[in-house]
Amino acid sequence: ETGVTQSPTHLIKTRGQQVTLRCSSQSGHNTVSWYQQALGQGPQFIFQYYREEENGRGNFPPRFSGLQFPNYSSELNVNALELDDSALYLCASSLTSGRGETQYFGPGTRLLVL
Amino acid sequence: QQQVKQSPQSLIVQKGGISIINCAYENTAFDYFPWYQQFPGKGPALLIAIRPDVSEKKEGRFTISFNKSAKQFSLHIMDSQPGDSATYFCAASGGGADGLTFGKGTHLIIQP
């Protein structure tokens, strides 16, 4: 186990609603990244937070937003949910945001949008 | 545009055999290439990683071979065991804040 925890484990929402997913980083890690993994696909990078600031973003619309707190825990917020947002959402923490830092993944939150 | 192409999509290997998974990348800025293993219901777990300054890295039964000129890298699992049955992802990154770019995954089954 990596020490990265996520909550909730499963979630069901309806189209148009908003959702907040939570992640607790591994002890001592100040960087967290979020990924979306659709069924049968590899994870896709959403964004990264380093010391409470977003410092990198993948090809996701602004309705995907996040927060990182002083204790380095993190939230992923998704507004105006669409059916295609159904996926496993993974957070990964790393010691820092430097090049090639190992990312340790949590077990994920499975989101179903109906 | 898929920046990391992984093959095969699925692979069946007999116990004790060698499992080989291949990846190719397009972005020459990539300088870190990890392999992750994922079991059903779990998050990906780092297996082994390589940087382009070496052509091979071995850790136990797992070996990465890296060909910088061809922009290809592969994972070899020696003496494959049923417990190795999982989905394997190659990935690449070119900078700390860019995140990892993953391949689509290889579903590996090791038959006893």
mmCIF file of all heavy atoms in Angstrom, chain A residues 48-88:
data_model
loop_
_atom_site.group_PDB
_atom_site.id
_atom_site.type_symbol
_atom_site.label_atom_id
_atom_site.label_comp_id
_atom_site.label_asym_id
_atom_site.label_seq_id
_atom_site.Cartn_x
_atom_site.Cartn_y
_atom_site.Cartn_z
ATOM 1 N N GLN A 48 -1.987 19.089 -11.579
ATOM 2 C CA GLN A 48 -1.074 18.859 -10.460
ATOM 3 C C GLN A 48 -1.062 20.081 -9.547
ATOM 4 O O GLN A 48 -1.121 21.226 -10.025
ATOM 5 C CB GLN A 48 0.347 18.599 -10.964
ATOM 6 C CG GLN A 48 1.354 18.290 -9.867
ATOM 7 C CD GLN A 48 2.751 18.081 -10.423
ATOM 8 O OE1 GLN A 48 3.548 19.017 -10.521
ATOM 9 N NE2 GLN A 48 3.058 16.841 -10.775
ATOM 10 N N TYR A 49 -0.987 19.831 -8.253
ATOM 11 C CA TYR A 49 -0.860 20.892 -7.264
ATOM 12 C C TYR A 49 0.443 20.718 -6.496
ATOM 13 O O TYR A 49 0.801 19.616 -6.079
ATOM 14 C CB TYR A 49 -2.047 20.875 -6.288
ATOM 15 C CG TYR A 49 -3.247 21.606 -6.839
ATOM 16 C CD1 TYR A 49 -4.078 20.993 -7.771
ATOM 17 C CD2 TYR A 49 -3.530 22.902 -6.450
ATOM 18 C CE1 TYR A 49 -5.160 21.675 -8.299
ATOM 19 C CE2 TYR A 49 -4.616 23.583 -6.968
ATOM 20 C CZ TYR A 49 -5.420 22.963 -7.893
ATOM 21 O OH TYR A 49 -6.492 23.639 -8.419
ATOM 22 N N TYR A 50 1.124 21.838 -6.333
ATOM 23 C CA TYR A 50 2.377 21.868 -5.582
ATOM 24 C C TYR A 50 2.286 23.024 -4.598
ATOM 25 O O TYR A 50 2.087 24.172 -5.006
ATOM 26 C CB TYR A 50 3.559 22.041 -6.534
ATOM 27 C CG TYR A 50 4.878 22.319 -5.873
ATOM 28 C CD1 TYR A 50 5.488 21.378 -5.057
ATOM 29 C CD2 TYR A 50 5.541 23.540 -6.081
ATOM 30 C CE1 TYR A 50 6.712 21.634 -4.462
ATOM 31 C CE2 TYR A 50 6.757 23.804 -5.486
ATOM 32 C CZ TYR A 50 7.337 22.841 -4.676
ATOM 33 O OH TYR A 50 8.556 23.097 -4.077
ATOM 34 N N ARG A 51 2.389 22.718 -3.322
ATOM 35 C CA ARG A 51 2.317 23.735 -2.270
ATOM 36 C C ARG A 51 1.122 24.656 -2.458
ATOM 37 O O ARG A 51 1.246 25.883 -2.472
ATOM 38 C CB ARG A 51 3.623 24.531 -2.210
ATOM 39 C CG ARG A 51 4.791 23.675 -1.753
ATOM 40 C CD ARG A 51 6.049 24.485 -1.536
ATOM 41 N NE ARG A 51 7.109 23.661 -0.961
ATOM 42 C CZ ARG A 51 8.332 24.103 -0.678
ATOM 43 N NH1 ARG A 51 8.637 25.365 -0.908
ATOM 44 N NH2 ARG A 51 9.222 23.298 -0.168
ATOM 45 N N GLU A 52 -0.040 24.036 -2.656
ATOM 46 C CA GLU A 52 -1.346 24.692 -2.708
ATOM 47 C C GLU A 52 -1.622 25.467 -3.992
ATOM 48 O O GLU A 52 -2.656 26.135 -4.087
ATOM 49 C CB GLU A 52 -1.550 25.607 -1.491
ATOM 50 C CG GLU A 52 -1.385 24.881 -0.158
ATOM 51 C CD GLU A 52 -1.520 25.802 1.031
ATOM 52 O OE1 GLU A 52 -2.552 26.477 1.153
ATOM 53 O OE2 GLU A 52 -0.579 25.841 1.860
ATOM 54 N N GLU A 53 -0.731 25.386 -4.982
ATOM 55 C CA GLU A 53 -0.945 26.091 -6.238
ATOM 56 C C GLU A 53 -0.998 25.087 -7.391
ATOM 57 O O GLU A 53 -0.200 24.136 -7.433
ATOM 58 C CB GLU A 53 0.191 27.085 -6.512
ATOM 59 C CG GLU A 53 0.300 28.215 -5.505
ATOM 60 C CD GLU A 53 -0.786 29.256 -5.691
ATOM 61 O OE1 GLU A 53 -1.297 29.400 -6.824
ATOM 62 O OE2 GLU A 53 -1.139 29.931 -4.704
ATOM 63 N N GLU A 54 -1.907 25.299 -8.351
ATOM 64 C CA GLU A 54 -1.931 24.469 -9.544
ATOM 65 C C GLU A 54 -0.718 24.834 -10.388
ATOM 66 O O GLU A 54 -0.533 25.996 -10.763
ATOM 67 C CB GLU A 54 -3.219 24.704 -10.351
ATOM 68 C CG GLU A 54 -3.301 23.803 -11.591
ATOM 69 C CD GLU A 54 -4.560 24.065 -12.429
ATOM 70 O OE1 GLU A 54 -5.675 23.977 -11.880
ATOM 71 O OE2 GLU A 54 -4.403 24.360 -13.631
ATOM 72 N N ASN A 55 0.103 23.845 -10.720
ATOM 73 C CA ASN A 55 1.322 24.149 -11.494
ATOM 74 C C ASN A 55 1.439 23.308 -12.749
ATOM 75 O O ASN A 55 2.508 23.229 -13.349
ATOM 76 C CB ASN A 55 2.574 24.007 -10.616
ATOM 77 C CG ASN A 55 2.895 22.562 -10.291
ATOM 78 O OD1 ASN A 55 2.008 21.724 -10.299
ATOM 79 N ND2 ASN A 55 4.153 22.267 -10.004
ATOM 80 N N GLY A 56 0.364 22.681 -13.159
ATOM 81 C CA GLY A 56 0.361 21.929 -14.410
ATOM 82 C C GLY A 56 -1.043 21.414 -14.657
ATOM 83 O O GLY A 56 -1.759 21.069 -13.705
ATOM 84 N N ARG A 57 -1.441 21.373 -15.926
ATOM 85 C CA ARG A 57 -2.803 20.958 -16.249
ATOM 86 C C ARG A 57 -2.813 20.202 -17.570
ATOM 87 O O ARG A 57 -2.103 20.574 -18.512
ATOM 88 C CB ARG A 57 -3.725 22.173 -16.340
ATOM 89 C CG ARG A 57 -5.204 21.813 -16.422
ATOM 90 C CD ARG A 57 -6.078 23.058 -16.428
ATOM 91 N NE ARG A 57 -7.493 22.687 -16.415
ATOM 92 C CZ ARG A 57 -8.236 22.599 -15.320
ATOM 93 N NH1 ARG A 57 -7.694 22.892 -14.138
ATOM 94 N NH2 ARG A 57 -9.503 22.247 -15.380
ATOM 95 N N GLY A 58 -3.619 19.145 -17.631
ATOM 96 C CA GLY A 58 -3.804 18.404 -18.871
ATOM 97 C C GLY A 58 -4.958 18.990 -19.663
ATOM 98 O O GLY A 58 -5.451 20.086 -19.383
ATOM 99 N N ASN A 59 -5.438 18.248 -20.645
ATOM 100 C CA ASN A 59 -6.469 18.728 -21.556
ATOM 101 C C ASN A 59 -7.869 18.486 -20.981
ATOM 102 O O ASN A 59 -8.642 17.695 -21.518
ATOM 103 C CB ASN A 59 -6.301 18.033 -22.912
ATOM 104 C CG ASN A 59 -7.183 18.636 -23.976
ATOM 105 O OD1 ASN A 59 -7.547 19.804 -23.902
ATOM 106 N ND2 ASN A 59 -7.538 17.833 -24.967
ATOM 107 N N PHE A 60 -8.171 19.158 -19.898
ATOM 108 C CA PHE A 60 -9.486 19.042 -19.266
ATOM 109 C C PHE A 60 -10.098 20.434 -19.128
ATOM 110 O O PHE A 60 -9.388 21.405 -18.883
ATOM 111 C CB PHE A 60 -9.361 18.383 -17.878
ATOM 112 C CG PHE A 60 -9.249 16.886 -17.947
ATOM 113 C CD1 PHE A 60 -8.044 16.278 -18.242
ATOM 114 C CD2 PHE A 60 -10.365 16.090 -17.749
ATOM 115 C CE1 PHE A 60 -7.944 14.887 -18.336
ATOM 116 C CE2 PHE A 60 -10.281 14.709 -17.826
ATOM 117 C CZ PHE A 60 -9.063 14.112 -18.125
ATOM 118 N N PRO A 61 -11.437 20.528 -19.286
ATOM 119 C CA PRO A 61 -12.093 21.849 -19.243
ATOM 120 C C PRO A 61 -12.079 22.450 -17.844
ATOM 121 O O PRO A 61 -11.843 21.742 -16.863
ATOM 122 C CB PRO A 61 -13.526 21.529 -19.702
ATOM 123 C CG PRO A 61 -13.719 20.087 -19.364
ATOM 124 C CD PRO A 61 -12.373 19.438 -19.552
ATOM 125 N N PRO A 62 -12.374 23.750 -17.738
ATOM 126 C CA PRO A 62 -12.325 24.448 -16.450
ATOM 127 C C PRO A 62 -13.314 23.918 -15.415
ATOM 128 O O PRO A 62 -13.144 24.194 -14.223
ATOM 129 C CB PRO A 62 -12.662 25.897 -16.822
ATOM 130 C CG PRO A 62 -12.302 26.011 -18.253
ATOM 131 C CD PRO A 62 -12.579 24.669 -18.857
ATOM 132 N N ARG A 63 -14.341 23.160 -15.837
ATOM 133 C CA ARG A 63 -15.278 22.645 -14.829
ATOM 134 C C ARG A 63 -14.612 21.584 -13.940
ATOM 135 O O ARG A 63 -15.189 21.167 -12.937
ATOM 136 C CB ARG A 63 -16.541 22.098 -15.509
ATOM 137 C CG ARG A 63 -16.319 20.982 -16.496
ATOM 138 C CD ARG A 63 -17.614 20.651 -17.272
ATOM 139 N NE ARG A 63 -17.395 19.484 -18.115
ATOM 140 C CZ ARG A 63 -17.522 18.258 -17.686
ATOM 141 N NH1 ARG A 63 -17.890 18.022 -16.440
ATOM 142 N NH2 ARG A 63 -17.297 17.243 -18.503
ATOM 143 N N PHE A 64 -13.400 21.172 -14.318
ATOM 144 C CA PHE A 64 -12.570 20.344 -13.438
ATOM 145 C C PHE A 64 -11.653 21.299 -12.670
ATOM 146 O O PHE A 64 -10.828 22.000 -13.278
ATOM 147 C CB PHE A 64 -11.719 19.349 -14.237
ATOM 148 C CG PHE A 64 -12.479 18.196 -14.797
ATOM 149 C CD1 PHE A 64 -13.242 18.340 -15.953
ATOM 150 C CD2 PHE A 64 -12.444 16.953 -14.186
ATOM 151 C CE1 PHE A 64 -13.962 17.269 -16.477
ATOM 152 C CE2 PHE A 64 -13.147 15.869 -14.718
ATOM 153 C CZ PHE A 64 -13.904 16.032 -15.862
ATOM 154 N N SER A 65 -11.803 21.352 -11.372
ATOM 155 C CA SER A 65 -10.972 22.245 -10.571
ATOM 156 C C SER A 65 -10.514 21.523 -9.324
ATOM 157 O O SER A 65 -11.039 20.460 -8.971
ATOM 158 C CB SER A 65 -11.745 23.512 -10.196
ATOM 159 O OG SER A 65 -12.854 23.183 -9.380
ATOM 160 N N GLY A 66 -9.531 22.109 -8.650
ATOM 161 C CA GLY A 66 -8.999 21.428 -7.488
ATOM 162 C C GLY A 66 -8.547 22.381 -6.404
ATOM 163 O O GLY A 66 -8.555 23.607 -6.571
ATOM 164 N N LEU A 67 -8.195 21.773 -5.291
ATOM 165 C CA LEU A 67 -7.632 22.510 -4.170
ATOM 166 C C LEU A 67 -6.592 21.632 -3.508
ATOM 167 O O LEU A 67 -6.735 20.402 -3.481
ATOM 168 C CB LEU A 67 -8.711 22.845 -3.134
ATOM 169 C CG LEU A 67 -9.677 23.989 -3.407
ATOM 170 C CD1 LEU A 67 -10.755 24.018 -2.325
ATOM 171 C CD2 LEU A 67 -8.935 25.323 -3.466
ATOM 172 N N GLN A 68 -5.566 22.276 -2.962
ATOM 173 C CA GLN A 68 -4.644 21.557 -2.086
ATOM 174 C C GLN A 68 -4.557 22.345 -0.793
ATOM 175 O O GLN A 68 -4.455 23.578 -0.809
ATOM 176 C CB GLN A 68 -3.264 21.411 -2.717
ATOM 177 C CG GLN A 68 -2.332 20.517 -1.907
ATOM 178 C CD GLN A 68 -0.948 20.412 -2.511
ATOM 179 O OE1 GLN A 68 -0.478 21.338 -3.178
ATOM 180 N NE2 GLN A 68 -0.272 19.293 -2.292
ATOM 181 N N PHE A 69 -4.594 21.665 0.319
ATOM 182 C CA PHE A 69 -4.643 22.307 1.623
ATOM 183 C C PHE A 69 -3.265 22.325 2.270
ATOM 184 O O PHE A 69 -2.358 21.616 1.832
ATOM 185 C CB PHE A 69 -5.676 21.577 2.504
ATOM 186 C CG PHE A 69 -7.054 21.588 1.908
ATOM 187 C CD1 PHE A 69 -7.549 20.490 1.217
ATOM 188 C CD2 PHE A 69 -7.861 22.718 2.009
ATOM 189 C CE1 PHE A 69 -8.810 20.509 0.650
ATOM 190 C CE2 PHE A 69 -9.118 22.742 1.451
ATOM 191 C CZ PHE A 69 -9.587 21.643 0.755
ATOM 192 N N PRO A 70 -3.090 23.138 3.323
ATOM 193 C CA PRO A 70 -1.768 23.239 3.972
ATOM 194 C C PRO A 70 -1.205 21.905 4.434
ATOM 195 O O PRO A 70 0.014 21.740 4.506
ATOM 196 C CB PRO A 70 -2.032 24.180 5.149
ATOM 197 C CG PRO A 70 -3.162 25.039 4.691
ATOM 198 C CD PRO A 70 -4.039 24.137 3.860
ATOM 199 N N ASN A 71 -2.076 20.937 4.736
ATOM 200 C CA ASN A 71 -1.563 19.611 5.135
ATOM 201 C C ASN A 71 -1.330 18.727 3.910
ATOM 202 O O ASN A 71 -1.073 17.531 4.054
ATOM 203 C CB ASN A 71 -2.532 18.932 6.105
ATOM 204 C CG ASN A 71 -3.864 18.582 5.456
ATOM 205 O OD1 ASN A 71 -4.118 18.942 4.296
ATOM 206 N ND2 ASN A 71 -4.712 17.901 6.192
ATOM 207 N N TYR A 72 -1.426 19.323 2.711
ATOM 208 C CA TYR A 72 -1.179 18.677 1.418
ATOM 209 C C TYR A 72 -2.269 17.692 1.001
ATOM 210 O O TYR A 72 -2.116 17.032 -0.034
ATOM 211 C CB TYR A 72 0.211 18.035 1.357
ATOM 212 C CG TYR A 72 1.323 19.017 1.617
ATOM 213 C CD1 TYR A 72 2.334 18.746 2.530
ATOM 214 C CD2 TYR A 72 1.332 20.257 0.969
ATOM 215 C CE1 TYR A 72 3.347 19.663 2.765
ATOM 216 C CE2 TYR A 72 2.337 21.181 1.215
ATOM 217 C CZ TYR A 72 3.339 20.881 2.116
ATOM 218 O OH TYR A 72 4.345 21.786 2.371
ATOM 219 N N SER A 73 -3.358 17.585 1.759
ATOM 220 C CA SER A 73 -4.497 16.836 1.245
ATOM 221 C C SER A 73 -5.098 17.639 0.104
ATOM 222 O O SER A 73 -4.787 18.828 -0.086
ATOM 223 C CB SER A 73 -5.525 16.572 2.347
ATOM 224 O OG SER A 73 -6.075 17.800 2.801
ATOM 225 N N SER A 74 -5.959 16.992 -0.679
ATOM 226 C CA SER A 74 -6.416 17.632 -1.912
ATOM 227 C C SER A 74 -7.856 17.279 -2.222
ATOM 228 O O SER A 74 -8.380 16.266 -1.745
ATOM 229 C CB SER A 74 -5.510 17.185 -3.063
ATOM 230 O OG SER A 74 -5.949 17.692 -4.308
ATOM 231 N N GLU A 75 -8.493 18.128 -3.009
ATOM 232 C CA GLU A 75 -9.833 17.875 -3.529
ATOM 233 C C GLU A 75 -9.850 18.041 -5.027
ATOM 234 O O GLU A 75 -9.131 18.888 -5.580
ATOM 235 C CB GLU A 75 -10.840 18.873 -2.936
ATOM 236 C CG GLU A 75 -11.207 18.640 -1.496
ATOM 237 C CD GLU A 75 -12.259 19.635 -1.021
ATOM 238 O OE1 GLU A 75 -12.613 20.559 -1.779
ATOM 239 O OE2 GLU A 75 -12.696 19.496 0.134
ATOM 240 N N LEU A 76 -10.680 17.237 -5.671
ATOM 241 C CA LEU A 76 -11.002 17.410 -7.089
ATOM 242 C C LEU A 76 -12.487 17.723 -7.156
ATOM 243 O O LEU A 76 -13.304 16.980 -6.609
ATOM 244 C CB LEU A 76 -10.688 16.146 -7.874
ATOM 245 C CG LEU A 76 -11.289 16.030 -9.281
ATOM 246 C CD1 LEU A 76 -10.719 17.092 -10.214
ATOM 247 C CD2 LEU A 76 -11.054 14.625 -9.860
ATOM 248 N N ASN A 77 -12.829 18.829 -7.787
ATOM 249 C CA ASN A 77 -14.222 19.217 -7.971
ATOM 250 C C ASN A 77 -14.567 19.157 -9.460
ATOM 251 O O ASN A 77 -13.796 19.627 -10.297
ATOM 252 C CB ASN A 77 -14.457 20.642 -7.464
ATOM 253 C CG ASN A 77 -14.162 20.768 -5.984
ATOM 254 O OD1 ASN A 77 -14.910 20.290 -5.143
ATOM 255 N ND2 ASN A 77 -13.038 21.384 -5.641
ATOM 256 N N VAL A 78 -15.716 18.578 -9.741
ATOM 257 C CA VAL A 78 -16.199 18.546 -11.119
ATOM 258 C C VAL A 78 -17.608 19.122 -11.123
ATOM 259 O O VAL A 78 -18.496 18.613 -10.418
ATOM 260 C CB VAL A 78 -16.207 17.130 -11.716
ATOM 261 C CG1 VAL A 78 -16.558 17.185 -13.196
ATOM 262 C CG2 VAL A 78 -14.862 16.443 -11.504
ATOM 263 N N ASN A 79 -17.810 20.189 -11.884
ATOM 264 C CA ASN A 79 -19.127 20.822 -12.014
ATOM 265 C C ASN A 79 -19.838 20.343 -13.272
ATOM 266 O O ASN A 79 -19.196 19.838 -14.204
ATOM 267 C CB ASN A 79 -18.960 22.343 -12.088
ATOM 268 C CG ASN A 79 -18.440 22.920 -10.785
ATOM 269 O OD1 ASN A 79 -18.819 22.477 -9.713
ATOM 270 N ND2 ASN A 79 -17.544 23.887 -10.875
ATOM 271 N N ALA A 80 -21.150 20.520 -13.281
ATOM 272 C CA ALA A 80 -21.951 20.219 -14.478
ATOM 273 C C ALA A 80 -21.587 18.853 -15.048
ATOM 274 O O ALA A 80 -21.178 18.736 -16.204
ATOM 275 C CB ALA A 80 -21.763 21.316 -15.521
ATOM 276 N N LEU A 81 -21.721 17.830 -14.238
ATOM 277 C CA LEU A 81 -21.319 16.486 -14.636
ATOM 278 C C LEU A 81 -21.961 16.038 -15.949
ATOM 279 O O LEU A 81 -23.142 16.289 -16.197
ATOM 280 C CB LEU A 81 -21.665 15.490 -13.528
ATOM 281 C CG LEU A 81 -20.734 15.499 -12.305
ATOM 282 C CD1 LEU A 81 -21.366 14.721 -11.161
ATOM 283 C CD2 LEU A 81 -19.371 14.947 -12.670
ATOM 284 N N GLU A 82 -21.138 15.357 -16.757
ATOM 285 C CA GLU A 82 -21.606 14.772 -18.010
ATOM 286 C C GLU A 82 -21.459 13.249 -17.920
ATOM 287 O O GLU A 82 -20.674 12.737 -17.102
ATOM 288 C CB GLU A 82 -20.773 15.329 -19.175
ATOM 289 C CG GLU A 82 -20.845 16.835 -19.300
ATOM 290 C CD GLU A 82 -19.947 17.380 -20.402
ATOM 291 O OE1 GLU A 82 -19.257 16.572 -21.055
ATOM 292 O OE2 GLU A 82 -19.938 18.614 -20.591
ATOM 293 N N LEU A 83 -22.196 12.553 -18.784
ATOM 294 C CA LEU A 83 -22.152 11.086 -18.760
ATOM 295 C C LEU A 83 -20.714 10.581 -18.946
ATOM 296 O O LEU A 83 -20.304 9.599 -18.321
ATOM 297 C CB LEU A 83 -23.060 10.505 -19.838
ATOM 298 C CG LEU A 83 -24.544 10.820 -19.698
ATOM 299 C CD1 LEU A 83 -25.330 10.174 -20.857
ATOM 300 C CD2 LEU A 83 -25.096 10.345 -18.367
ATOM 301 N N ASP A 84 -19.942 11.266 -19.802
ATOM 302 C CA ASP A 84 -18.567 10.845 -20.093
ATOM 303 C C ASP A 84 -17.617 11.053 -18.927
ATOM 304 O O ASP A 84 -16.460 10.625 -18.986
ATOM 305 C CB ASP A 84 -18.025 11.598 -21.320
ATOM 306 C CG ASP A 84 -18.603 11.056 -22.614
ATOM 307 O OD1 ASP A 84 -19.249 9.982 -22.562
ATOM 308 O OD2 ASP A 84 -18.426 11.689 -23.662
ATOM 309 N N ASP A 85 -18.073 11.705 -17.866
ATOM 310 C CA ASP A 85 -17.234 11.873 -16.679
ATOM 311 C C ASP A 85 -17.192 10.599 -15.843
ATOM 312 O O ASP A 85 -16.411 10.502 -14.889
ATOM 313 C CB ASP A 85 -17.748 13.030 -15.822
ATOM 314 C CG ASP A 85 -17.629 14.381 -16.515
ATOM 315 O OD1 ASP A 85 -16.747 14.523 -17.390
ATOM 316 O OD2 ASP A 85 -18.428 15.284 -16.186
ATOM 317 N N SER A 86 -18.013 9.627 -16.182
ATOM 318 C CA SER A 86 -17.984 8.338 -15.485
ATOM 319 C C SER A 86 -16.613 7.694 -15.683
ATOM 320 O O SER A 86 -16.197 7.447 -16.817
ATOM 321 C CB SER A 86 -19.069 7.412 -16.025
ATOM 322 O OG SER A 86 -20.350 7.924 -15.757
ATOM 323 N N ALA A 87 -15.914 7.447 -14.583
ATOM 324 C CA ALA A 87 -14.543 6.940 -14.666
ATOM 325 C C ALA A 87 -14.024 6.660 -13.261
ATOM 326 O O ALA A 87 -14.694 6.953 -12.265
ATOM 327 C CB ALA A 87 -13.632 7.961 -15.345
ATOM 328 N N LEU A 88 -12.825 6.112 -13.211
ATOM 329 C CA LEU A 88 -12.087 5.982 -11.953
ATOM 330 C C LEU A 88 -11.188 7.205 -11.832
ATOM 331 O O LEU A 88 -10.424 7.509 -12.754
ATOM 332 C CB LEU A 88 -11.243 4.706 -11.973
ATOM 333 C CG LEU A 88 -10.395 4.408 -10.729
ATOM 334 C CD1 LEU A 88 -11.310 4.063 -9.539
ATOM 335 C CD2 LEU A 88 -9.423 3.265 -10.998
#
